[in-house]
Amino acid sequence: MNTPQPPKKLLDVVREVIRLKHYSYRTEQTYIDWIKRYLRFHNKRPPREMGVPEIQEFLTHLAVEGQVAASTQNQALSALLFLYRNVLQIELGNVRDFLKAKRPKRLPTVLTPEEVQKIIQHLTGVERLVIQLLYGSGLRLAEALNLRIKDVDFAQHQFIIRDTKGNEDRVTPLPQSVQAPLQIHLKSARQLHQQDLERGYGSVYLPFALARKYPKADHEWIWQYVFPSYSFSQDPRSGVTQRHYLSESKIQKTLKNAVRQSTVEKRVSCHTFRHSFATHLLQSGYDIRTVQELLGRKDVKTTMIYTHVLNRGGRGVQSPLDRL
């Protein structure tokens, strides 16, 4: 007689659905965390007994008591909508329109070319190369660190950016000024990969569909990360010990020190270099549609913000004081 299996826990089911849809591990962690917080806030009531009023109450709590940013509040909303629509199969209607927090319109921080140069001068090694690609190719930090060998095209002077924020591949320029140092770096990375293979390692994470279709591809050079981690780590999903890509925090901490040493008096993050890439292209005369495509954005409206930070003063208006 077969022993009946105990029902699966809710969060285990959430994980299964997330992985079935091939969401990133970071998204999985984020969604699980928000669902836990939502359930704790409502004293662990079964989510099927709750709905839009309880979601709205939780989001209000985050805004009023937690004083979280609108982007954080919207992230929590996305997690809860995923729970109800994709896991519990409960349709809440078009609630995003009235529950979504309105994000304040803020102009991005943009560096001058001279400031970019001053900061990069205080960087060395792999970290310097990564920051150069953020500015020279308009990449997000995660996109740069997720680059694989097969995505670098020296012949065409371009990168192929895959699995982007909008799940659409795009092409972006590979600056000629970094090609030589990048090739030197890749030579060292290949030697490291060969050493890993000789030690019985050398595999790299592949999305489930690719790993199933190409079972030996995870050991091949072309699938390795351009910027491999300095150490091994255990994949949280498969449990396999692998060399992942360089950690984002390592780049962020190194950049913070470089900005401090450069004496650039602006609030600079890795994303600032992507903003500067777009603004400087527009200043050079490239049309906004081209910049939009290079950034991988679906709506040109989100790219229009860079027209407001071009080096023309306040909206290009000459101050009356300068006419005296």
Side-chain angles (χ1 to χ4, degrees):
M1 184 176 178
N2 294 330
T3 304
Q5 295 293 324
K8 293 181 180 179
K9 295 182 178 180
L10 175 64
L11 295 181
D12 290 336
V13 178
V14 174
R15 289 189 182 92
E16 287 183 1
V17 177
I18 288 175
R19 295 177 187 184
L20 183 66
K21 291 182 173 293
H22 305 298
Y23 285 16
S24 69
Y25 182 64
R26 176 183 292 182
T27 301
E28 176 182 324
Q29 289 179 303
T30 301
Y31 279 18
I32 291 292
D33 181 62
W34 280 120
I35 292 170
K36 283 181 178 178
R37 292 176 64 174
Y38 171 68
L39 296 177
R40 282 199 300 266
F41 178 76
H42 288 294
N43 299 314
K44 298 184 178 180
R45 282 176 60 194
R48 288 187 180 279
E49 297 179 1
M50 300 186 286
V52 175
E54 286 77 13
I55 294 175
Q56 190 166 17
E57 184 182 356
F58 176 64
L59 296 178
T60 302
H61 164 75
L62 292 177
V64 177
E65 303 295 333
Q67 297 184 339
V68 301
S71 58
T72 302
Q73 193 175 351
N74 290 334
Q75 186 186 72
L77 174 60
S78 295
L80 297 180
L81 291 180
F82 181 88
L83 169 66
Y84 280 93
R85 291 173 176 172
N86 298 92
V87 180
L88 301 178
Q89 303 295 313
I90 297 176
E91 184 54 55
L92 301 175
N94 192 21
V95 298
R96 183 180 287 274
D97 290 343
F98 72 88
L99 288 181
K100 186 176 181 179
K102 187 175 181 180
R103 299 176 64 174
K105 292 184 179 180
R106 302 188 187 281
L107 295 179
T109 299
V110 172
L111 300 169
T112 65
E114 294 75 21
E115 289 171 334
V116 170
Q117 190 172 22
K118 285 178 68 175
I119 294 172
I120 290 178
Q121 285 176 347
H122 288 87
L123 293 164
T124 59
V126 177
E127 291 78 13
R128 177 189 178 103
L129 198 50
V130 171
I131 296 300
Q132 285 178 311
L133 294 187
L134 301 188
Y135 174 65
S137 305
L139 304 181
R140 301 177 178 90
L141 178 58
E143 291 173 344
L145 298 182
N146 271 283
L147 280 172
R148 300 187 190 247
I149 302 303
K150 65 182 182 60
D151 301 327
V152 184
D153 188 342
F154 286 105
Q156 298 294 324
H157 309 294
Q158 65 184 22
F159 292 113
I160 302 173
I161 311 302
R162 307 184 189 277
D163 300 324
T164 63
K165 196 172 182 180
N167 290 323
E168 292 183 2
D169 295 351
R170 75 178 194 277
V171 172
T172 193
L174 165 54
Q176 292 191 15
S177 58
V178 303
Q179 289 195 27
L182 181 57
Q183 287 174 327
I184 294 172
H185 164 74
L186 292 180
K187 186 176 180 180
S188 298
R190 186 158 197 167
Q191 292 174 346
L192 179 63
H193 176 57
Q194 186 59 41
Q195 293 172 7
D196 290 347
L197 290 173
E198 292 170 357
R199 295 170 59 190
Y201 296 103
S203 70
V204 69
Y205 165 77
L206 293 180
F208 178 71
L210 284 174
R212 183 179 56 188
K213 188 174 182 179
Y214 307 109
K216 295 183 179 180
D218 61 345
H219 284 76
E220 294 179 8
W221 166 241
I222 64 169
W223 289 99
Q224 304 302 309
Y225 290 114
V226 171
F227 299 108
S229 172
Y230 297 129
S231 59
F232 291 109
S233 59
Q234 190 177 66
D235 187 283
R237 290 177 170 177
S238 67
V240 177
T241 299
Q242 299 172 317
R243 192 180 294 278
H244 205 48
Y245 54 73
L246 203 62
S247 72
E248 293 188 10
S249 61
K250 171 66 175 174
I251 303 297
Q252 292 163 342
K253 290 176 183 177
T254 304
L255 174 62
K256 186 176 181 180
N257 291 331
V259 173
R260 187 183 301 114
Q261 294 172 18
S262 72
T263 67
V264 171
E265 296 180 343
K266 290 181 179 178
R267 186 178 179 182
V268 179
S269 68
C270 290
H271 213 65
T272 304
F273 291 91
R274 177 172 156 90
H275 292 318
S276 302
F277 163 84
T279 304
H280 295 169
L281 284 183
L282 291 173
Q283 287 177 330
S284 299
Y286 288 94
D287 66 273
I288 198 164
R289 290 287 183 181
T290 298
V291 176
Q292 176 195 355
E293 290 179 6
L294 292 175
L295 292 175
R297 290 181 165 169
K298 293 183 178 181
D299 191 347
V300 72
K301 291 180 181 179
T302 56
T303 312
M304 288 291 291
I305 191 171
Y306 298 114
T307 63
H308 299 295
V309 291
L310 293 176
N311 189 23
R312 299 172 185 162
R315 296 185 179 273
V317 174
Q318 183 183 18
S319 170
L321 181 63
D322 295 334
R323 299 178 182 177
L324 298 179

